[in-house]
Amino acid sequence: MSRPQPHHQVDERFVQRMQERLGPESDSFFSTLESESPTSILINPAKAPGDAFENADPVPWCKAGRYLGKRPEFVFDPLFHAGCYYVMEASSMFIHHAISSLLQKEKPICVLDLCAAPGGKSAVALSCIPPGSVLVSNEVNKSRFQTLQFNIDKWGEPNVIRTCLDPGRIPWTGLFDLILVDAPCSGEGLFRKDKEARAEWSPANVTHCSARQRRILMEAQRLLAPGGYLIYSTCTYAEEENIQQVLWMAKEFSLIAKPLLVPDEWKVTTMTNGNSIGYQFYPHRVYGEGFFCAIMQKPADSPGYVATSNRSLRGYKPIVVETTFPKALTNWIKWDDSKGSLRFFESIDKEVYALQSSIDHDWLSHGLVRYPGVEIGNIKGASVPREIGLTFSPSHALALSQLLSDEMPSIELELEQAIRFLRKESVSTESGSPGWKVARYKGFALGWLKQTQAGLKNYLPTKYRIIKQQVK
Ligand code: SAM
């Protein structure tokens, strides 16, 4: 069979596997791997940047998804830093269609994103779960957890709890109505844009990934509530990591594969094996990368939530406790009652967090939560009575959060000044009254400035500053 060059960089055994699967269509598949990847973004519904992407084509399976004709230098767009959108691969936005198809629109639910970093699927979930729901966003890898934290902060929703746990240590057995497992995989679907993924591929790695996915899936089904949904996804084509996992979940744990309505014009391929069903995205058929997604439901008569865990949780001490509303924050935050009640937590370092949701659950009892909601800021001098002598330093996350009060003084920056702010350089504006100000670009918050007698100080966290130089 003739096929276009070059795919000598792709392992010959992978070539063979895809030829067996796709037949003559594999030519088209392999030439697509040498073409340019589409650029796409997920627009944040809570920070929709007006007409900024008015002319961009929509992603068919995600109403907040847009294709951009040309890849911009996102790092120099302040709206990117404000969390108005997230740069995300288009096929994987199918999760939006899956979640929207499964849920009743009004009932708040408990959601877990088990393999969450860098945060794309969490952002998708936050865009379509009902108001009042809560999302536990978990990432086992500590350095990737930092990226997740940053991206969740930028998205700005106040209903996200963050944990950094191996799935086996997550204590909330039977609690979650919806679990996303976007599993670590052999990455075949990324061969177009990630040439390193090609080099790392081997049949042994597919086997290794498949075994790891089963360990994660076993924990996911434990954590699911009776009748709850599991959305399993990978960015690979290997059946051992895809439809065979769905089959295995049905056999081992009686999970029922759920079909979705998928219009033919989307050109998504339905994969079946017995009663198992899943959806495969091929880059030569859809405008996106390789992706697989399947939905499974836990039988409604499975055992429900177990309030206490008998797992060994030694070594964990509570680092945060629930607290009453700190009055010092009255002017700083706002809330919208339709999204549930606001709860406050305080760490031993006097860091205050706020969580808004209608789900009433004791998240702190195991001492495993790293971020119980939005980090609001630090309250110092909290002696008794607490409200006397308090000074409050707002956190960067509060500036980007929906909890930020509209009454906070702001400074609107033009593009050049906004970039200076994002480089953590000084910004020159007319001096105003002393105190904290929100730095904004086109109305969207970027972080904090503080006016003192010495001038206007830039409080952007150093780790988030732009370092890259712009080529003019
Ligand atoms: N859902 C993410 C998104 O949309 O941005 C991408 C997730 S990525 C495909 C898979 C994640 O699983 C990685 O962040 C990786 O660190 C994590 N992971 C690796 N091994 C794991 C394990 N044994 N249990 C849980 N997660 C694991």
Side-chain angles (χ1 to χ4, degrees):
M1 190 182 301
S2 72
R3 51 185 153 80
Q5 291 300 317
H7 39 84
H8 51 270
Q9 303 131 306
V10 182
D11 191 298
E12 203 45 47
R13 292 163 295 180
F14 171 74
V15 175
Q16 228 169 27
R17 282 164 74 107
M18 293 313 285
Q19 283 175 339
E20 273 162 29
R21 183 186 299 199
L22 295 171
E25 214 185 306
S26 63
D27 281 357
S28 161
F29 170 81
F30 283 110
S31 34
T32 308
L33 292 196
E34 306 310 323
S35 67
E36 201 177 320
S37 290
T39 300
S40 45
I41 58 166
L42 177 78
I43 295 175
N44 186 342
K47 300 187 184 183
D51 53 9
F53 303 109
E54 208 175 40
N55 298 323
D57 287 338
V59 174
W61 39 85
C62 175
K63 68 175 185 205
R66 295 287 180 281
Y67 292 108
L68 304 185
K70 190 167 154 265
R71 192 176 177 90
E73 278 222 87
F74 291 111
V75 73
F76 298 118
D77 179 8
L79 296 180
F80 168 71
H81 297 271
C84 294
Y85 60 89
Y86 182 86
V87 183
M88 187 169 183
E89 195 286 300
S91 303
S92 66
M93 293 183 204
F94 185 71
I95 299 288
H96 188 284
H97 176 63
I99 298 178
S100 311
S101 309
L102 296 172
L103 298 183
Q104 295 168 23
K105 300 286 175 268
E106 302 307 327
K107 188 173 165 264
I109 54 166
C110 244
V111 185
L112 170 66
D113 185 357
L114 197 49
C115 311
K121 307 301 179 300
S122 282
V124 172
L126 289 167
S127 315
C128 55
I129 55 178
S133 300
V134 71
L135 169 69
V136 177
S137 208
N138 177 71
E139 169 56 44
V140 65
N141 179 301
K142 287 199 179 65
S143 62
R144 289 177 65 88
F145 179 79
Q146 300 304 323
T147 317
L148 172 70
Q149 182 202 337
F150 176 51
N151 285 329
I152 297 281
D153 282 348
K154 281 208 294 186
W155 209 248
E157 290 284 344
N159 58 343
V160 190
I161 287 171
R162 279 157 270 182
T163 55
C164 180
L165 295 168
D166 182 273
R169 296 212 69 151
I170 298 181
W172 303 296
T173 299
L175 182 69
F176 296 96
D177 305 294
L178 175 66
I179 300 185
L180 309 182
V181 173
D182 189 32
C185 69
S186 58
E188 296 167 355
L190 303 180
F191 279 4
R192 172 161 53 174
K193 60 177 191 178
D194 181 358
K195 303 289 186 280
E196 266 176 44
R198 299 183 182 193
E200 282 164 16
W201 188 90
S202 69
N205 193 33
V206 170
T207 308
H208 165 77
C209 288
S210 169
R212 180 165 58 178
Q213 288 151 1
R214 287 192 179 187
R215 287 196 298 275
I216 298 172
L217 282 168
M218 203 174 70
E219 298 301 338
Q221 67 78 32
R222 168 180 70 80
L223 294 160
L224 262 188
Y229 293 107
L230 169 62
I231 302 184
Y232 174 68
S233 56
T234 68
C235 50
T236 206
Y237 312 106
E239 295 207 349
E240 302 91 314
E241 300 180 63
N242 292 346
I243 197 75
Q244 285 181 26
Q245 304 294 45
V246 187
L247 205 59
W248 181 76
M249 289 294 274
K251 198 164 134 253
E252 292 292 316
F253 306 109
S254 309
L255 261 61
I256 306 142
K258 299 289 289 182
L260 293 176
L261 272 176
V262 179
D264 288 346
E265 60 267 26
W266 290 0
K267 300 198 167 69
V268 175
T269 309
T270 302
M271 311 290 284
T272 51
N273 189 332
N275 289 332
S276 297
I277 186 159
Y279 302 94
Q280 183 79 63
F281 288 63
Y282 291 108
H284 64 293
R285 292 188 194 167
V286 303
Y287 198 42
E289 305 299 351
F291 184 69
F292 174 84
C293 179
I295 293 91
M296 294 166 250
Q297 186 174 26
K298 191 169 184 175
D301 58 1
S302 313
Y305 174 58
V306 190
T308 51
S309 163
N310 55 8
R311 288 165 173 261
S312 166
L313 298 173
R314 272 175 303 169
Y316 281 91
K317 286 205 184 76
I319 51 159
V320 270
V321 290
E322 189 148 2
T323 184
T324 50
F325 171 63
K327 288 209 186 74
L329 301 184
T330 310
N331 299 328
W332 296 80
I333 54 176
K334 63 158 191 214
W335 59 89
D336 162 7
D337 288 336
S338 69
K339 292 184 171 182
S341 56
L342 201 56
R343 291 163 69 183
F344 290 90
F345 304 92
E346 193 176 318
S347 75
I348 42 174
D349 305 326
K350 303 289 176 218
E351 216 62 65
V352 178
Y353 302 87
L355 176 72
Q356 186 174 31
S357 110
S358 313
I359 304 286
D360 183 20
H361 183 73
D362 179 10
W363 296 107
L364 300 185
S365 60
H366 299 86
L368 295 169
V369 168
R370 291 280 284 269
Y371 285 82
V374 181
E375 187 186 326
I376 298 292
N378 196 287
I379 293 185
K380 297 202 180 76
S383 53
V384 179
R386 288 184 38 131
E387 308 307 335
I388 295 175
L390 291 187
T391 55
F392 174 65
S393 310
S395 73
H396 183 66
L398 175 61
L400 301 180
S401 164
Q402 286 178 33
L403 293 179
L404 179 70
S405 166
D406 299 330
E407 308 302 313
M408 279 310 292
S410 296
I411 296 179
E412 181 66 31
L413 303 172
E414 293 298 321
L415 180 61
E416 193 195 331
Q417 290 291 311
I419 298 290
R420 285 188 65 80
F421 175 81
L422 291 165
R423 288 192 184 282
K424 204 171 166 60
E425 293 170 356
S426 62
V427 294
S428 51
T429 62
E430 280 175 32
S431 75
S433 54
W436 292 97
K437 317 272 164 99
V438 185
R440 293 186 185 272
Y441 174 73
K442 294 190 174 173
F444 295 103
L446 300 174
W448 292 105
L449 289 162
K450 191 178 184 186
Q451 183 74 56
T452 64
Q453 282 182 340
L456 196 58
K457 190 168 172 202
N458 184 340
Y459 275 80
L460 185 85
T462 305
K463 61 185 173 187
Y464 297 154
R465 75 188 196 280
I466 301 175
I467 298 168
K468 193 172 177 189
Q469 290 306 317
Q470 198 163 10
V471 183
K472 304 237 166 166

